[in-house]
Amino acid sequence: MFNYLRKRFTSHITERSRRRARLVSKDGRCNIEFGNVEEQSRFVFLIDIWTTILDLRWRYKMTIFISAFLGSWFLFGLLWYVVAYIHKDLPEFSPSINHTPCVENINGLTSAFLFSLETQVTIGYGFRCVTEQCVTAIFLLIFQSILGVIINSFMCGAILAKISRSKKRAKTITFSKNAVISKRGGKLCLLIRVANLRKSLLIGSHIYGKLLKTTITPEGETIILDQVNIEFVVDAGNENLFFISPLTIYHVIDKNSPFFHMAAETILQQDFELVVFLDGTVEATSATCQVRTSYIPEEVLWGYRFAPIVSKTKEGKYRVDFQNFSKTVAVDTPHCAFCLYNEKETKAKEKKGYDNPGFVMSEVSETSDTKM
């Protein structure tokens, strides 16, 4: 029992360390941080304030949203209180009956705050109002109204843009949990399954991949996260996919593929991360979106293929069974691409005949002398 728990704990720690080493998580988030960024570079985020607000998490965005409105209401409430104080409209100054205040019915800081709120959100209860006797109050009213429209437009626009970002549409695109390597069309291929969970299409979809690994150049330079292009092919065509049902994309492992020198016995010892991208345009909003995921060596299954997922019912409808979406089936597969191509070359040579110039055929004359 103790040994079992120790193995489980060790495997859990190993898996967590592997997970930390990912550049791209399974749900597409990038695991990277920037250190020693100069203060001048940080100021650029304030210049591009719109993108900074959009990239913030919801809890920070809502904090800024609430603080912007409450802060502006309270700030202008103080200004209205100052105007009433300077004009001696407050009750502690005991104004005369003929005294005309700048703002009617402001008796203190609380009433000034309420008037500021009513002015900025254009409620207008009618109990408090600006009189024509005070030019300062009129200019302050105009300034607060204009600034209130700007704050309202910016903050509400940021909330709406956050909700309608195409990044949320990408959540309805899913990749298979594992990638598999098996024969397809007589070639050794790496296969990945991708599905669109919505009936609305992604227009102009394009799928490609990047293999991230650490390489050492002939000059001795170590390049971490060196990127190698991985071309993926779809039987229906790699451009303008009809992405209404799950598709199986595959990468042919030929002599130009970085997987060519890997084998079933050595792939788990490799140090790489395969990042797969799907770019497309959302049909409803015409906004572009990108979906991405990654696979590490433990998630690449050699000698497997995906189970069937699409069937046709008796009513003539096509049914997609997502229970088999990531399910795999073991199949006979060469343990390396090099062996597969050598096997093909050997079989091709066996079908051919070869002339031996050094071979001389000697004719033997047969005698008809036969003694009885």
Side-chain angles (χ1 to χ4, degrees):
M1 183 66 181
F2 178 75
N3 292 333
Y4 173 77
L5 293 175
R6 185 176 61 181
K7 289 181 180 179
R8 292 282 297 179
F9 179 76
T10 304
S11 63
H12 178 70
I13 294 299
T14 304
E15 184 180 355
R16 287 196 62 182
S17 62
R18 274 286 187 180
R19 202 158 42 230
R20 292 194 203 100
R22 282 183 184 273
L23 177 65
V24 179
S25 62
K26 297 297 288 184
D27 58 356
R29 297 181 181 180
C30 295
N31 179 27
I32 191 169
E33 63 179 21
F34 300 99
N36 299 325
V37 179
E38 297 181 358
E39 295 297 330
Q40 295 179 353
S41 300
R42 294 180 184 273
F43 184 70
V44 177
F45 292 99
L46 295 178
I47 298 177
D48 187 16
I49 188 65
W50 177 253
T51 306
T52 303
I53 294 294
L54 289 183
D55 290 339
L56 288 176
R57 295 184 178 181
W58 274 108
R59 54 179 177 268
Y60 301 125
K61 187 184 295 293
M62 294 307 299
T63 301
I64 295 175
F65 181 85
I66 296 172
S67 300
F69 284 102
L70 289 179
S72 61
W73 296 339
F74 185 74
L75 175 62
F76 280 99
L78 290 177
L79 295 178
W80 286 116
Y81 180 80
V82 170
V83 170
Y85 184 86
I86 295 175
H87 200 253
K88 297 182 179 182
D89 299 334
L90 300 177
E92 54 263 27
F93 292 103
S94 300
S96 62
I97 300 176
N98 297 328
H99 178 77
T100 304
C102 288
V103 181
E104 296 283 354
N105 299 309
I106 286 187
N107 303 317
L109 186 59
T110 303
S111 58
F113 174 80
L114 291 176
F115 178 73
S116 173
L117 188 152
E118 294 167 11
T119 301
Q120 189 163 328
V121 300
T122 64
I123 295 177
Y125 290 122
F127 181 68
R128 301 180 183 89
C129 60
V130 177
T131 62
E132 68 276 7
Q133 299 297 325
C134 188
V135 179
T136 304
I138 296 175
F139 278 105
L140 184 59
L141 177 67
I142 296 173
F143 182 71
Q144 183 177 4
S145 299
I146 295 175
L147 186 62
V149 172
I150 295 175
I151 295 176
N152 188 63
S153 300
F154 184 87
M155 298 308 302
C156 292
I159 296 294
L160 181 61
K162 182 76 171 180
I163 296 174
S164 61
R165 291 184 78 177
S166 57
K167 188 177 181 180
K168 300 303 179 182
R169 176 64 175 92
K171 299 295 182 181
T172 56
I173 306 296
T174 180
F175 288 88
S176 57
K177 182 180 179 182
N178 296 306
V180 298
I181 294 179
S182 59
K183 292 177 64 176
R184 187 183 183 93
K187 301 177 181 179
L188 191 64
C189 300
L190 182 142
L191 300 97
I192 297 172
R193 180 173 276 172
V194 58
N196 180 12
L197 301 181
R198 288 187 179 273
K199 292 185 179 180
S200 59
L201 300 179
L202 283 180
I203 304 172
S205 300
H206 176 62
I207 299 176
Y208 58 97
K210 298 285 185 180
L211 188 71
L212 308 179
K213 60 180 182 178
T214 301
T215 59
I216 300 177
T217 63
E219 294 78 17
E221 179 185 2
T222 301
I223 302 177
I224 300 177
L225 297 180
D226 187 22
Q227 301 183 14
V228 180
N229 291 327
I230 301 294
E231 296 293 334
F232 282 98
V233 183
V234 183
D235 291 334
N238 201 29
E239 299 292 339
N240 300 324
L241 304 177
F242 185 49
F243 198 14
I244 193 64
S245 62
L247 298 175
T248 300
I249 61 175
Y250 60 93
H251 164 71
V252 179
I253 303 178
D254 53 13
K255 294 182 180 180
N256 297 322
S257 172
F259 294 95
F260 183 76
H261 298 287
M262 300 182 189
E265 298 84 2
T266 61
I267 190 170
L268 293 179
Q269 284 75 42
Q270 302 294 325
D271 184 16
F272 67 85
E273 181 178 352
L274 175 61
V275 184
V276 183
F277 303 86
L278 188 148
D279 296 339
T281 304
V282 181
E283 187 179 24
T285 61
S286 298
T288 58
C289 70
Q290 183 183 88
V291 194
R292 52 187 176 266
T293 189
S294 68
Y295 299 92
I296 57 177
E298 287 79 2
E299 296 170 345
V300 179
L301 306 180
W302 196 294
Y304 290 83
R305 64 173 174 82
F306 291 110
I309 190 174
V310 181
S311 61
K312 192 174 183 180
T313 62
K314 295 180 180 180
E315 294 79 11
K317 295 182 178 180
Y318 293 94
R319 183 175 183 271
V320 179
D321 186 7
F322 280 95
Q323 186 177 0
N324 294 336
F325 180 72
S326 295
K327 186 178 180 180
T328 56
V329 180
V331 292
D332 293 333
T333 306
H335 77 283
C336 66
F338 187 75
C339 297
L340 176 63
Y341 287 102
N342 282 348
E343 180 182 351
K344 288 184 177 180
E345 292 177 0
T346 303
K347 289 182 178 180
K349 290 180 180 179
E350 289 178 353
K351 295 180 180 179
K352 296 181 179 179
Y354 295 91
D355 293 331
N356 188 356
F359 179 77
V360 178
M361 182 178 180
S362 60
E363 296 183 356
V364 179
S365 60
E366 297 182 355
T367 59
S368 57
D369 297 337
T370 303
K371 294 182 180 182
M372 298 297 294

